[in-house]
Coordinates of all heavy atoms in Angstrom, one line a residue:
M140 N 25.8 -2.2 11.2 CA 25.1 -0.9 11.0 C 24.1 -0.7 12.1 O 23.4 -1.6 12.5 CB 24.4 -1.0 9.6 CG 23.5 0.2 9.4 SD 22.6 0.1 7.9 CE 23.2 1.5 7.1
T141 N 24.2 0.5 12.7 CA 23.2 0.8 13.8 C 22.7 2.2 13.5 O 23.2 3.0 12.7 CB 24.0 0.9 15.2 OG1 25.0 1.8 15.1 CG2 24.5 -0.5 15.5
I142 N 21.6 2.5 14.2 CA 21.0 3.8 14.1 C 21.0 4.4 15.5 O 20.8 3.8 16.5 CB 19.5 3.7 13.5 CG1 18.9 5.0 13.2 CG2 18.6 2.8 14.4 CD1 17.7 4.9 12.4
S143 N 21.3 5.7 15.5 CA 21.4 6.4 16.8 C 20.0 7.0 17.1 O 19.1 7.2 16.3 CB 22.4 7.5 16.7 OG 22.0 8.5 15.9
K144 N 19.9 7.4 18.4 CA 18.7 8.0 18.9 C 18.5 9.4 18.2 O 17.4 9.8 17.8 CB 18.7 8.2 20.4 CG 17.5 8.8 21.0 CD 17.7 8.9 22.5 CE 16.6 9.7 23.2 NZ 16.7 9.8 24.6
E145 N 19.6 10.0 17.9 CA 19.5 11.3 17.2 C 19.0 11.1 15.8 O 18.2 12.0 15.3 CB 20.9 12.0 17.1 CG 21.4 12.5 18.5 CD 21.9 11.4 19.4 OE1 22.3 10.3 18.9 OE2 21.8 11.6 20.6
Q146 N 19.4 10.0 15.1 CA 18.9 9.8 13.8 C 17.4 9.5 13.8 O 16.6 9.9 12.9 CB 19.6 8.6 13.1 CG 21.0 8.9 12.8 CD 21.8 7.7 12.4 OE1 21.8 6.7 13.0 NE2 22.6 7.9 11.3
V147 N 16.9 8.7 14.8 CA 15.5 8.4 15.0 C 14.7 9.8 15.2 O 13.7 10.0 14.6 CB 15.3 7.5 16.2 CG1 13.8 7.4 16.5 CG2 15.8 6.1 15.9
Q148 N 15.3 10.7 16.0 CA 14.6 11.9 16.3 C 14.6 12.8 15.0 O 13.6 13.5 14.8 CB 15.3 12.7 17.4 CG 15.1 12.0 18.7 CD 15.9 12.5 19.9 OE1 17.0 13.0 19.7 NE2 15.4 12.5 21.1
K149 N 15.7 12.8 14.2 CA 15.7 13.6 13.0 C 14.6 13.1 12.0 O 13.9 13.8 11.3 CB 17.1 13.5 12.3 CG 17.2 14.3 11.1 CD 18.6 14.3 10.5 CE 18.6 15.1 9.3 NZ 20.0 15.3 8.7
V150 N 14.6 11.7 11.8 CA 13.6 11.2 10.9 C 12.2 11.4 11.4 O 11.3 11.8 10.6 CB 13.8 9.6 10.7 CG1 12.6 9.0 10.0 CG2 15.1 9.4 10.0
A151 N 12.0 11.4 12.7 CA 10.7 11.7 13.3 C 10.3 13.2 13.0 O 9.2 13.5 12.6 CB 10.6 11.4 14.8
A152 N 11.3 14.0 13.1 CA 11.0 15.5 12.8 C 10.7 15.7 11.3 O 9.8 16.5 11.0 CB 12.2 16.3 13.2
L153 N 11.4 15.0 10.5 CA 11.1 15.1 9.0 C 9.7 14.6 8.7 O 9.0 15.1 7.8 CB 12.2 14.3 8.2 CG 13.6 14.9 8.2 CD1 14.5 13.9 7.6 CD2 13.6 16.3 7.5
A154 N 9.2 13.6 9.4 CA 7.9 13.0 9.2 C 6.9 13.8 10.1 O 5.7 13.4 10.1 CB 7.9 11.5 9.6
R155 N 7.3 14.8 10.7 CA 6.4 15.7 11.6 C 5.8 14.9 12.6 O 4.6 15.0 12.9 CB 5.4 16.4 10.7 CG 6.0 17.3 9.6 CD 5.2 18.5 9.4 NE 5.6 19.3 8.3 CZ 6.7 19.9 8.0 NH1 7.8 19.6 8.7 NH2 6.9 20.7 6.9
L156 N 6.5 13.9 13.3 CA 6.1 13.1 14.4 C 6.7 13.7 15.7 O 7.9 14.0 15.7 CB 6.5 11.7 14.2 CG 5.9 10.9 13.0 CD1 6.5 9.6 12.9 CD2 4.4 10.9 13.1
K157 N 5.9 13.8 16.7 CA 6.4 14.2 18.0 C 6.6 13.0 18.9 O 5.6 12.3 19.2 CB 5.4 15.2 18.7 CG 5.3 16.5 18.0 CD 4.3 17.4 18.7 CE 4.2 18.7 17.9 NZ 3.2 19.6 18.6
L158 N 7.9 12.6 19.1 CA 8.2 11.5 19.9 C 8.6 11.9 21.3 O 9.3 12.9 21.5 CB 9.3 10.7 19.3 CG 9.1 10.1 17.9 CD1 10.4 9.3 17.5 CD2 7.9 9.2 17.9
T159 N 8.2 11.1 22.3 CA 8.7 11.4 23.6 C 10.0 10.7 23.7 O 10.4 10.0 22.9 CB 7.7 10.7 24.7 OG1 7.7 9.3 24.5 CG2 6.3 11.2 24.6
E160 N 10.8 11.0 24.8 CA 12.1 10.4 25.0 C 12.0 8.9 25.1 O 12.8 8.2 24.5 CB 12.7 11.0 26.3 CG 13.2 12.4 26.1 CD 14.3 12.5 25.1 OE1 15.2 11.7 25.1 OE2 14.2 13.5 24.3
Q161 N 10.9 8.4 25.7 CA 10.7 7.0 25.9 C 10.5 6.3 24.5 O 11.0 5.3 24.2 CB 9.6 6.7 26.8 CG 9.3 5.2 27.0 CD 8.1 5.0 28.0 OE1 7.4 5.9 28.4 NE2 7.8 3.7 28.2
E162 N 9.6 7.0 23.7 CA 9.4 6.5 22.3 C 10.6 6.5 21.5 O 10.9 5.5 20.8 CB 8.3 7.3 21.7 CG 6.9 7.1 22.3 CD 5.9 8.1 21.7 OE1 6.2 9.2 21.4 OE2 4.7 7.7 21.6
A163 N 11.4 7.5 21.6 CA 12.7 7.6 20.8 C 13.6 6.5 21.2 O 14.2 5.8 20.3 CB 13.3 8.9 21.0
D164 N 13.7 6.2 22.5 CA 14.5 5.1 23.0 C 14.0 3.8 22.4 O 14.8 2.9 22.0 CB 14.6 5.1 24.5 CG 15.4 6.3 25.1 OD1 16.2 6.8 24.4 OD2 15.1 6.6 26.3
Q165 N 12.7 3.6 22.6 CA 12.1 2.3 22.2 C 12.3 2.1 20.6 O 12.6 1.0 20.2 CB 10.6 2.4 22.5 CG 9.8 1.2 22.1 CD 8.3 1.3 22.4 OE1 7.8 2.3 22.9 NE2 7.5 0.3 22.1
Y166 N 12.0 3.1 19.8 CA 12.2 3.0 18.4 C 13.6 2.8 18.0 O 13.9 2.1 17.0 CB 11.6 4.2 17.6 CG 10.1 4.3 17.8 CD1 9.5 5.5 17.9 CD2 9.3 3.1 17.8 CE1 8.1 5.6 18.1 CE2 7.9 3.2 18.0 CZ 7.3 4.5 18.1 OH 6.0 4.5 18.2
T167 N 14.5 3.3 18.7 CA 16.0 3.1 18.4 C 16.3 1.7 18.6 O 17.0 1.1 17.8 CB 16.9 4.0 19.3 OG1 16.5 5.4 19.1 CG2 18.3 3.8 19.0
V168 N 15.9 1.1 19.7 CA 16.1 -0.3 20.0 C 15.5 -1.2 18.9 O 16.1 -2.1 18.4 CB 15.6 -0.7 21.4 CG1 15.7 -2.2 21.6 CG2 16.4 0.0 22.5
Q169 N 14.2 -0.9 18.6 CA 13.5 -1.7 17.6 C 14.1 -1.7 16.3 O 14.3 -2.7 15.6 CB 12.0 -1.3 17.6 CG 11.2 -1.6 18.8 CD 9.8 -1.1 18.8 OE1 9.5 -0.3 17.9 NE2 9.0 -1.6 19.7
L170 N 14.5 -0.5 15.8 CA 15.1 -0.3 14.5 C 16.5 -1.0 14.5 O 16.8 -1.6 13.4 CB 15.2 1.2 14.1 CG 13.9 1.8 13.8 CD1 14.0 3.3 13.7 CD2 13.3 1.3 12.5
N171 N 17.2 -0.9 15.5 CA 18.5 -1.6 15.6 C 18.3 -3.1 15.5 O 19.1 -3.8 14.9 CB 19.3 -1.2 16.8 CG 20.1 0.1 16.6 OD1 20.7 0.4 15.5 ND2 20.0 1.0 17.5
N172 N 17.3 -3.6 16.1 CA 17.0 -5.1 16.1 C 16.7 -5.5 14.6 O 17.1 -6.5 14.1 CB 15.9 -5.4 17.0 CG 16.2 -5.4 18.4 OD1 17.4 -5.5 18.8 ND2 15.2 -5.3 19.3
I173 N 15.9 -4.6 13.9 CA 15.6 -4.9 12.5 C 16.9 -4.9 11.7 O 17.1 -5.8 10.8 CB 14.6 -3.9 12.0 CG1 13.2 -4.1 12.7 CG2 14.4 -4.0 10.5 CD1 12.2 -3.0 12.5
L174 N 17.7 -3.9 11.9 CA 19.0 -3.8 11.1 C 19.9 -5.0 11.4 O 20.6 -5.5 10.5 CB 19.7 -2.5 11.4 CG 19.0 -1.2 10.9 CD1 19.7 0.0 11.4 CD2 18.9 -1.3 9.4
Q175 N 19.9 -5.5 12.6 CA 20.8 -6.7 13.0 C 20.2 -7.9 12.2 O 21.0 -8.7 11.8 CB 20.8 -6.9 14.5 CG 21.6 -5.9 15.3 CD 21.5 -6.1 16.8 OE1 20.7 -6.9 17.2 NE2 22.3 -5.3 17.5
F176 N 18.9 -8.0 12.2 CA 18.4 -9.1 11.5 C 18.7 -9.1 10.0 O 19.0 -10.0 9.3 CB 16.8 -9.2 11.7 CG 16.2 -10.3 10.9 CD1 16.3 -11.6 11.4 CD2 15.5 -10.1 9.8 CE1 15.7 -12.7 10.8 CE2 14.9 -11.2 9.1 CZ 15.0 -12.5 9.6
A177 N 18.6 -7.8 9.4 CA 18.9 -7.7 8.0 C 20.4 -8.0 7.7 O 20.7 -8.5 6.6 CB 18.6 -6.2 7.5
E178 N 21.2 -7.7 8.6 CA 22.7 -8.0 8.5 C 22.9 -9.5 8.4 O 23.8 -10.0 7.7 CB 23.5 -7.4 9.6 CG 23.7 -5.9 9.5 CD 24.6 -5.6 8.4 OE1 25.6 -6.3 8.1 OE2 24.4 -4.6 7.7
K179 N 22.1 -10.3 9.1 CA 22.2 -11.8 9.1 C 21.9 -12.3 7.7 O 22.5 -13.3 7.2 CB 21.3 -12.4 10.1 CG 21.7 -12.3 11.5 CD 20.8 -13.0 12.4 CE 21.2 -12.9 13.9 NZ 20.4 -13.7 14.8
L180 N 21.0 -11.6 6.9 CA 20.7 -12.0 5.6 C 21.9 -11.9 4.7 O 22.0 -12.6 3.7 CB 19.6 -11.2 5.0 CG 18.2 -11.4 5.8 CD1 17.2 -10.4 5.2 CD2 17.7 -12.8 5.7
N181 N 22.8 -11.0 5.0 CA 24.1 -10.8 4.2 C 25.0 -12.1 4.3 O 25.9 -12.3 3.4 CB 24.8 -9.6 4.6 CG 24.1 -8.3 4.1 OD1 23.4 -8.3 3.2 ND2 24.3 -7.3 4.9
E182 N 24.8 -12.9 5.3 CA 25.6 -14.1 5.5 C 25.2 -15.2 4.5 O 25.9 -16.2 4.4 CB 25.5 -14.6 6.9 CG 26.0 -13.6 7.9 CD 25.8 -14.0 9.4 OE1 25.4 -15.1 9.6 OE2 26.0 -13.1 10.3
L183 N 24.0 -15.1 3.9 CA 23.5 -16.2 3.1 C 24.2 -16.2 1.7 O 24.6 -15.1 1.2 CB 22.0 -16.0 2.8 CG 21.1 -16.1 4.0 CD1 19.7 -15.8 3.6 CD2 21.2 -17.5 4.6
E184 N 24.4 -17.4 1.2 CA 25.1 -17.5 -0.1 C 24.0 -17.4 -1.2 O 23.1 -18.2 -1.3 CB 25.7 -18.9 -0.2 CG 26.3 -19.2 -1.6 CD 27.4 -18.2 -2.0 OE1 28.2 -17.8 -1.2 OE2 27.3 -17.7 -3.1
T185 N 24.0 -16.4 -2.0 CA 23.0 -16.1 -3.0 C 23.5 -16.0 -4.4 O 22.8 -15.6 -5.3 CB 22.3 -14.8 -2.6 OG1 23.2 -13.7 -2.6 CG2 21.6 -14.8 -1.3
E186 N 24.7 -16.4 -4.6 CA 25.3 -16.3 -5.9 C 24.6 -17.1 -7.0 O 24.4 -16.7 -8.1 CB 26.8 -16.8 -5.9 CG 27.7 -15.8 -5.3 CD 27.8 -14.5 -6.1 OE1 27.9 -14.6 -7.3 OE2 27.8 -13.5 -5.5
Q187 N 24.1 -18.3 -6.6 CA 23.4 -19.2 -7.5 C 21.9 -19.0 -7.5 O 21.2 -19.8 -8.2 CB 23.8 -20.7 -7.2 CG 25.2 -21.0 -7.2 CD 25.9 -20.7 -8.6 OE1 25.3 -21.0 -9.6 NE2 27.1 -20.0 -8.6
V188 N 21.4 -18.1 -6.8 CA 19.9 -17.9 -6.7 C 19.5 -16.9 -7.8 O 20.0 -15.8 -7.9 CB 19.5 -17.3 -5.3 CG1 18.0 -17.0 -5.3 CG2 19.9 -18.3 -4.3
E189 N 18.6 -17.3 -8.6 CA 18.1 -16.5 -9.7 C 17.2 -15.4 -9.2 O 16.3 -15.6 -8.3 CB 17.3 -17.3 -10.7 CG 16.9 -16.6 -12.0 CD 16.2 -17.6 -12.9 OE1 16.6 -18.7 -13.0 OE2 15.3 -17.1 -13.6
P190 N 17.4 -14.1 -9.6 CA 16.5 -13.0 -9.2 C 15.1 -13.3 -9.6 O 14.8 -13.8 -10.7 CB 17.1 -11.8 -9.9 CG 18.4 -12.2 -10.3 CD 18.4 -13.7 -10.5
T191 N 14.1 -12.9 -8.7 CA 12.7 -13.0 -9.0 C 12.0 -11.8 -8.6 O 12.5 -11.0 -7.7 CB 12.1 -14.2 -8.2 OG1 12.3 -14.0 -6.8 CG2 12.7 -15.6 -8.6
S192 N 10.8 -11.6 -9.1 CA 10.0 -10.5 -8.7 C 9.0 -10.9 -7.7 O 8.3 -10.1 -7.1 CB 9.3 -9.8 -9.9 OG 8.5 -10.8 -10.6
H193 N 8.8 -12.2 -7.5 CA 7.8 -12.7 -6.6 C 8.2 -14.1 -6.1 O 8.9 -14.8 -6.8 CB 6.4 -12.8 -7.3 CG 5.3 -12.9 -6.4 ND1 4.9 -14.1 -5.8 CD2 4.4 -11.9 -5.9 CE1 3.8 -13.8 -5.0 NE2 3.6 -12.5 -5.0
V194 N 7.9 -14.4 -4.9 CA 8.4 -15.7 -4.3 C 7.7 -16.9 -4.9 O 8.2 -18.0 -4.9 CB 8.3 -15.7 -2.8 CG1 9.2 -14.7 -2.2 CG2 6.9 -15.5 -2.3
L195 N 6.5 -16.7 -5.4 CA 5.7 -17.8 -6.0 C 5.6 -17.6 -7.5 O 5.6 -16.5 -7.9 CB 4.3 -17.9 -5.4 CG 4.2 -18.1 -3.8 CD1 2.8 -17.9 -3.4 CD2 4.8 -19.4 -3.4
P196 N 5.5 -18.7 -8.2 CA 5.3 -18.6 -9.6 C 4.0 -17.9 -9.9 O 2.9 -18.2 -9.4 CB 5.3 -20.0 -10.2 CG 5.4 -20.9 -9.0 CD 5.6 -20.1 -7.8
M197 N 4.0 -16.9 -10.8 CA 2.8 -16.2 -11.1 C 2.3 -16.6 -12.5 O 3.0 -16.8 -13.4 CB 3.1 -14.7 -11.1 CG 3.5 -14.1 -9.8 SD 2.3 -14.2 -8.5 CE 1.2 -13.0 -9.0
A198 N 0.9 -16.7 -12.6 CA 0.3 -17.0 -13.8 C -1.0 -16.1 -13.9 O -1.6 -15.8 -12.9 CB -0.1 -18.5 -13.9
N199 N -1.4 -15.8 -15.2 CA -2.5 -15.0 -15.4 C -3.8 -15.9 -15.1 O -4.0 -16.9 -15.7 CB -2.6 -14.5 -16.8 CG -3.7 -13.5 -17.0 OD1 -4.5 -13.2 -16.1 ND2 -3.8 -13.0 -18.2
V200 N -4.5 -15.5 -14.1 CA -5.7 -16.3 -13.6 C -7.0 -15.6 -14.1 O -8.0 -16.1 -13.7 CB -5.7 -16.4 -12.1 CG1 -4.5 -17.2 -11.6 CG2 -5.7 -15.0 -11.4
L201 N -6.9 -14.7 -15.0 CA -8.1 -14.0 -15.5 C -8.7 -14.8 -16.7 O -7.9 -15.4 -17.4 CB -7.8 -12.6 -15.9 CG -7.2 -11.7 -14.8 CD1 -6.8 -10.3 -15.4 CD2 -8.2 -11.5 -13.6
R202 N -9.9 -14.7 -16.8 CA -10.6 -15.4 -17.9 C -10.4 -14.6 -19.2 O -10.0 -13.4 -19.2 CB -12.1 -15.6 -17.6 CG -12.8 -14.3 -17.6 CD -14.4 -14.5 -17.5 NE -15.1 -13.3 -17.2 CZ -15.3 -12.3 -18.0 NH1 -14.9 -12.4 -19.3 NH2 -16.0 -11.2 -17.7
E203 N -10.6 -15.2 -20.3 CA -10.5 -14.6 -21.6 C -11.6 -13.5 -21.6 O -12.7 -13.6 -21.1 CB -10.8 -15.5 -22.7 CG -9.6 -16.5 -22.9 CD -8.4 -15.8 -23.3 OE1 -8.4 -14.9 -24.1 OE2 -7.3 -16.3 -22.8
D204 N -11.2 -12.3 -22.3 CA -12.1 -11.2 -22.4 C -13.1 -11.5 -23.6 O -12.6 -11.6 -24.7 CB -11.3 -9.9 -22.7 CG -12.2 -8.7 -22.5 OD1 -13.3 -8.8 -22.0 OD2 -11.7 -7.6 -23.0
E205 N -14.4 -11.7 -23.3 CA -15.3 -12.0 -24.3 C -16.5 -11.0 -24.3 O -16.9 -10.5 -23.2 CB -16.0 -13.4 -24.0 CG -15.0 -14.5 -24.0 CD -15.6 -15.8 -23.5 OE1 -16.9 -15.9 -23.4 OE2 -14.9 -16.8 -23.3
V206 N -16.9 -10.6 -25.5 CA -18.0 -9.7 -25.6 C -19.3 -10.4 -25.1 O -19.6 -11.5 -25.6 CB -18.2 -9.2 -27.0 CG1 -19.4 -8.3 -27.2 CG2 -16.9 -8.5 -27.5
M207 N -20.0 -9.8 -24.2 CA -21.3 -10.4 -23.7 C -22.3 -9.2 -23.7 O -22.0 -8.1 -23.6 CB -21.0 -10.9 -22.3 CG -20.0 -12.0 -22.2 SD -19.7 -12.6 -20.6 CE -21.1 -13.6 -20.3
P208 N -23.6 -9.6 -23.8 CA -24.6 -8.6 -23.7 C -24.6 -8.0 -22.4 O -24.4 -8.6 -21.3 CB -25.9 -9.4 -24.0 CG -25.6 -10.8 -23.8 CD -24.1 -11.0 -24.0
S209 N -24.9 -6.7 -22.3 CA -24.9 -5.9 -21.1 C -26.3 -5.7 -20.6 O -27.3 -6.0 -21.3 CB -24.1 -4.6 -21.2 OG -24.8 -3.8 -22.2
L210 N -26.5 -5.2 -19.4 CA -27.8 -4.9 -18.9 C -28.4 -3.7 -19.7 O -27.8 -2.7 -19.9 CB -27.6 -4.5 -17.4 CG -28.8 -4.4 -16.5 CD1 -29.4 -5.8 -16.4 CD2 -28.4 -3.9 -15.1
P211 N -29.7 -3.9 -20.1 CA -30.3 -2.8 -20.8 C -30.5 -1.6 -19.9 O -30.6 -1.7 -18.7 CB -31.7 -3.3 -21.1 CG -31.6 -4.8 -20.9 CD -30.5 -5.1 -19.9
R212 N -30.4 -0.4 -20.5 CA -30.4 0.8 -19.7 C -31.6 1.0 -18.9 O -31.6 1.4 -17.7 CB -30.3 2.0 -20.7 CG -30.3 3.4 -20.0 CD -30.2 4.5 -20.9 NE -29.0 4.5 -21.7 CZ -28.6 5.5 -22.5 NH1 -29.4 6.5 -22.7 NH2 -27.5 5.4 -23.1
E213 N -32.8 0.6 -19.4 CA -34.0 0.7 -18.7 C -34.0 -0.1 -17.4 O -34.5 0.3 -16.4 CB -35.2 0.4 -19.6 CG -35.5 1.2 -20.8 CD -34.5 1.0 -21.9 OE1 -34.0 -0.2 -22.0 OE2 -34.2 1.9 -22.6
K214 N -33.4 -1.3 -17.5 CA -33.4 -2.2 -16.4 C -32.4 -1.7 -15.3 O -32.6 -1.8 -14.1 CB -33.0 -3.6 -16.8 CG -33.4 -4.7 -15.9 CD -33.2 -6.0 -16.6 CE -33.9 -7.1 -15.7 NZ -33.8 -8.4 -16.4
A215 N -31.3 -1.1 -15.8 CA -30.3 -0.6 -14.9 C -30.8 0.6 -14.1 O -30.5 0.8 -12.9 CB -29.0 -0.2 -15.7
L216 N -31.7 1.4 -14.8 CA -32.2 2.6 -14.1 C -33.5 2.3 -13.4 O -34.1 3.2 -12.8 CB -32.4 3.7 -15.2 CG -31.2 4.3 -15.8 CD1 -31.5 5.2 -17.0 CD2 -30.4 5.1 -14.7
A217 N -34.0 1.1 -13.4 CA -35.3 0.8 -12.9 C -35.5 1.2 -11.4 O -36.5 1.7 -11.0 CB -35.7 -0.7 -13.1
N218 N -34.5 0.9 -10.6 CA -34.6 1.2 -9.2 C -33.8 2.5 -8.8 O -33.6 2.7 -7.6 CB -34.1 0.1 -8.4 CG -35.0 -1.1 -8.5 OD1 -36.2 -1.0 -8.5 ND2 -34.4 -2.3 -8.6
A219 N -33.4 3.3 -9.8 CA -32.6 4.5 -9.5 C -33.5 5.5 -8.7 O -34.7 5.7 -9.2 CB -32.1 5.1 -10.7
P220 N -33.1 6.1 -7.6 CA -33.9 7.1 -6.9 C -34.1 8.3 -7.7 O -35.2 9.0 -7.6 CB -33.1 7.4 -5.6 CG -31.8 6.9 -5.9 CD -31.8 5.8 -7.0
D221 N -33.2 8.6 -8.6 CA -33.4 9.8 -9.5 C -32.6 9.6 -10.8 O -31.5 9.1 -10.8 CB -32.8 11.1 -8.7 CG -33.3 12.4 -9.3 OD1 -34.1 12.3 -10.3 OD2 -32.8 13.5 -8.9
Q222 N -33.3 9.9 -11.9 CA -32.6 9.8 -13.2 C -33.0 10.9 -14.1 O -34.1 11.6 -13.9 CB -33.0 8.4 -13.8 CG -34.5 8.2 -14.0 CD -34.8 6.9 -14.6 OE1 -34.4 6.6 -15.7 NE2 -35.5 6.0 -13.9
Q223 N -32.2 11.1 -15.1 CA -32.5 12.2 -16.0 C -31.8 11.9 -17.4 O -30.6 11.5 -17.4 CB -31.9 13.5 -15.5 CG -32.2 14.7 -16.4 CD -31.6 16.0 -15.9 OE1 -31.2 16.1 -14.7 NE2 -31.6 17.0 -16.7
D224 N -32.6 11.9 -18.4 CA -32.1 11.7 -19.8 C -31.4 10.3 -19.9 O -30.3 10.2 -20.6 CB -31.1 12.8 -20.2 CG -31.8 14.2 -20.3 OD1 -33.0 14.2 -20.6 OD2 -31.1 15.2 -19.9
G225 N -31.9 9.3 -19.3 CA -31.3 8.0 -19.4 C -30.0 7.8 -18.6 O -29.3 6.9 -18.8
M226 N -29.8 8.6 -17.6 CA -28.6 8.5 -16.8 C -29.0 8.7 -15.3 O -30.0 9.2 -14.9 CB -27.6 9.6 -17.1 CG -27.0 9.5 -18.5 SD -25.9 10.8 -18.9 CE -27.1 12.0 -19.5
F227 N -28.1 8.1 -14.4 CA -28.3 8.3 -13.0 C -28.1 9.8 -12.6 O -27.2 10.4 -13.1 CB -27.3 7.4 -12.2 CG -27.5 6.0 -12.3 CD1 -26.8 5.2 -13.1 CD2 -28.5 5.4 -11.5 CE1 -27.0 3.8 -13.2 CE2 -28.7 4.0 -11.5 CZ -28.0 3.2 -12.4
R228 N -28.9 10.3 -11.8 CA -28.8 11.7 -11.4 C -28.3 11.6 -9.9 O -29.0 11.0 -9.1 CB -30.1 12.5 -11.5 CG -30.0 13.9 -11.1 CD -31.3 14.6 -11.3 NE -31.4 15.9 -10.8 CZ -31.0 17.0 -11.3 NH1 -30.6 17.0 -12.6 NH2 -31.0 18.2 -10.7
V229 N -27.2 12.3 -9.6 CA -26.6 12.3 -8.3 C -26.5 13.7 -7.8 O -26.4 14.7 -8.6 CB -25.3 11.6 -8.2 CG1 -25.5 10.1 -8.6 CG2 -24.3 12.2 -9.2
P230 N -26.3 13.9 -6.5 CA -26.1 15.3 -6.0 C -24.8 15.8 -6.5 O -23.8 15.1 -6.8 CB -26.0 15.1 -4.5 CG -26.7 13.8 -4.2 CD -26.5 13.0 -5.4
A231 N -24.8 17.2 -6.7 CA -23.5 17.8 -7.2 C -22.4 17.6 -6.2 O -22.6 17.7 -5.0 CB -23.8 19.3 -7.5
V232 N -21.2 17.4 -6.7 CA -20.1 17.3 -5.9 C -19.4 18.6 -5.6 O -18.9 18.9 -4.6 CB -19.0 16.3 -6.5 CG1 -17.8 16.2 -5.7 CG2 -19.7 14.9 -6.7
F233 N -19.4 19.5 -6.6 CA -18.7 20.8 -6.5 C -19.8 21.8 -6.5 O -20.8 21.8 -7.1 CB -17.8 21.0 -7.8 CG -16.8 20.1 -7.9 CD1 -16.8 19.1 -8.9 CD2 -15.7 20.1 -7.1 CE1 -15.8 18.1 -9.1 CE2 -14.6 19.2 -7.3 CZ -14.7 18.2 -8.2
E234 N -19.5 22.9 -5.7 CA -20.4 24.0 -5.6 C -20.0 25.1 -6.6 O -18.8 25.2 -6.8 CB -20.5 24.6 -4.2 CG -21.0 23.6 -3.2 CD -21.0 24.2 -1.8 OE1 -20.9 25.4 -1.6 OE2 -21.1 23.4 -0.8
E235 N -20.9 25.8 -7.1 CA -20.5 26.8 -8.1 C -20.3 28.1 -7.4 O -20.8 28.4 -6.4 CB -21.6 26.9 -9.1 CG -21.7 25.7 -10.0 CD -22.7 25.8 -11.1 OE1 -23.1 27.0 -11.5 OE2 -23.2 24.8 -11.6

């Protein structure tokens, strides 16, 4: 399987990329090298290989979810530059 310079230019146009002739030539060579490497993978015997979603065994590394006391509101707002009605006051994001 190979990719042509015209295909590279078409994909670049679809992605709204402006490629010079030199870049198109360079990317054509690079993409063909990648495709040649991928073709080598087809030579491997994979019939007895079990499909996996990750190369390493995955385990849940998160701690158990436990209810713990939270920071009191007064302490959380103690250093707030601006507050109103027990909440942080921030500049408006949307203009009316």
Side-chain angles (χ1 to χ4, degrees):
M140 173 182 240
T141 59
I142 188 168
S143 68
K144 183 176 174 181
E145 291 75 26
Q146 289 172 315
V147 169
Q148 290 170 329
K149 181 177 180 177
V150 171
L153 291 172
R155 303 214 189 305
L156 298 174
K157 293 182 181 177
L158 299 181
T159 65
E160 287 296 316
Q161 181 183 3
E162 289 171 329
D164 291 335
Q165 178 183 1
Y166 294 142
T167 302
V168 170
Q169 290 175 349
L170 289 169
N171 278 315
N172 288 339
I173 292 168
L174 291 172
Q175 286 175 356
F176 180 76
E178 282 294 321
K179 286 185 180 182
L180 296 176
N181 288 333
E182 298 172 11
L183 296 174
E184 176 58 48
T185 58
E186 285 295 317
Q187 302 302 318
V188 178
E189 187 176 325
T191 60
S192 61
H193 200 276
V194 295
L195 300 174
M197 298 294 288
N199 188 356
V200 294
L201 302 175
R202 65 173 170 76
E203 289 296 319
D204 192 13
E205 299 173 10
V206 176
M207 301 175 75
S209 60
L210 193 61
R212 182 183 296 185
E213 296 77 28
K214 202 170 193 176
L216 292 170
N218 291 323
D221 197 5
Q222 56 179 298
Q223 180 180 351
D224 299 326
M226 294 178 273
F227 291 99
R228 183 176 166 92
V229 297
V232 177
F233 300 104
E234 295 181 18
E235 292 182 24

